[in-house]
Amino acid sequence: MRNVKDNQSRWQSCCLHAIILISILTVVSTAQPPMATRDPYYIVLCTDVSGSMNQHDPQYRNHEGKLTTFRDDAQFTFLELLRELPTETYVGVCKFTDRVVDALPGGAPARVQASNALLRWQEVGSDWQVLREKISTRRSSSGGTRLENALDWAHQRINSAREHQRAKGHGIVILLSDGDPDRAGTRGKDQIVVNAAQKLSSDDISIY
């Protein structure tokens, strides 16, 4: 019985990894060629570190023998692939449970000075290795999952960055989660997540 559960957990992890990579490749591959636009990209990566992720994306040892998770692998792959985007790129990363527990830049508060809403990738790209521990998912929390709080955080940060740059650009949110929000299926409650997503859509922010 234990082997069946272990195999099921591995299968769920592999599916999660595949979905993450497909989302990342979609964002990069749909970027317009250099001559098509000079509009900036505002990209926020929202990563679920709630208790359920300990089961669905458990730690494993990579080829170097270091403990990691598929979410960690995906985050760092994504940040490397940002080099392929043809225009100015501003990036934020948040980790969330039933609230945003840590984030870059500026920590968990959604409201910060507009100049500090997102990081300019071209200036900090070489420093992301230093920040690996800051955005690491190896130590997931035991809290619940409130997807709408992560989406609202991303929404405010992207709008603040747009205000600071005086350019609407392309807003993108990548949500790394097992898709198991608190209160899902409860009458009227799961609509909260849908409402948050609709607000992003109304501001021309895509969610992957």
Side-chain angles (χ1 to χ4, degrees):
M1 186 68 179
R2 181 176 180 179
N3 288 337
V4 171
K5 289 183 178 179
D6 288 345
N7 289 336
Q8 183 181 17
S9 179
R10 291 192 190 98
W11 172 249
Q12 289 172 330
S13 296
C14 288
C15 289
L16 176 66
H17 196 203
I19 292 169
I20 287 169
L21 289 178
I22 290 170
S23 297
I24 290 169
L25 292 172
T26 299
V27 172
V28 174
S29 64
T30 54
Q32 300 181 37
M35 297 303 293
T37 180
R38 292 184 178 180
D39 294 337
Y41 279 79
Y42 307 104
I43 303 177
V44 174
L45 193 61
C46 299
T47 305
D48 187 348
V49 293
S50 62
S52 63
M53 297 303 291
N54 290 319
Q55 176 185 354
H56 295 156
D57 184 23
Q59 295 184 41
Y60 73 96
R61 292 194 181 276
N62 62 17
H63 64 282
E64 297 176 344
K66 296 179 179 179
L67 285 173
T68 186
T69 64
F70 284 140
R71 283 164 294 160
D72 266 15
D73 297 342
Q75 286 184 134
F76 305 135
T77 299
F78 169 73
L79 295 171
E80 286 298 316
L81 286 173
L82 283 183
R83 301 177 191 277
E84 303 301 320
L85 286 177
T87 187
E88 204 74 60
T89 308
Y90 298 87
V91 181
V93 181
C94 79
K95 298 190 295 187
F96 71 95
T97 56
D98 54 357
R99 59 188 176 86
V100 174
V101 296
D102 206 353
L104 291 172
R111 296 187 182 277
V112 295
Q113 289 187 348
S115 59
N116 195 37
L118 298 177
L119 294 168
R120 184 174 181 267
W121 169 251
Q122 283 79 355
E123 293 178 353
V124 301
S126 60
D127 295 330
W128 276 110
Q129 291 297 327
V130 179
L131 302 174
R132 287 175 71 101
E133 289 304 312
K134 181 75 171 177
I135 62 175
S136 172
T137 63
R138 293 194 304 276
R139 294 177 294 277
S140 289
S141 303
S142 57
T145 308
R146 296 286 295 273
L147 301 178
E148 71 274 15
N149 289 342
L151 294 177
D152 288 343
W153 188 94
H155 194 178
Q156 291 191 48
R157 288 299 185 100
I158 289 174
N159 279 345
S160 292
R162 283 171 164 173
E163 176 186 344
H164 182 65
Q165 298 303 322
R166 298 181 181 179
K168 187 174 184 179
H170 308 279
I172 295 172
V173 175
I174 297 181
L175 186 65
L176 307 185
S177 175
D178 56 7
D180 186 18
D182 291 351
R183 307 161 311 196
T186 304
R187 181 178 298 178
K189 297 294 186 179
D190 47 354
Q191 186 64 32
I192 296 174
V193 178
V194 175
N195 291 343
Q198 288 175 338
K199 288 179 182 177
L200 269 74
S201 178
S202 66
D203 272 350
D204 292 328
I205 300 173
S206 302
I207 307 173
Y208 294 87

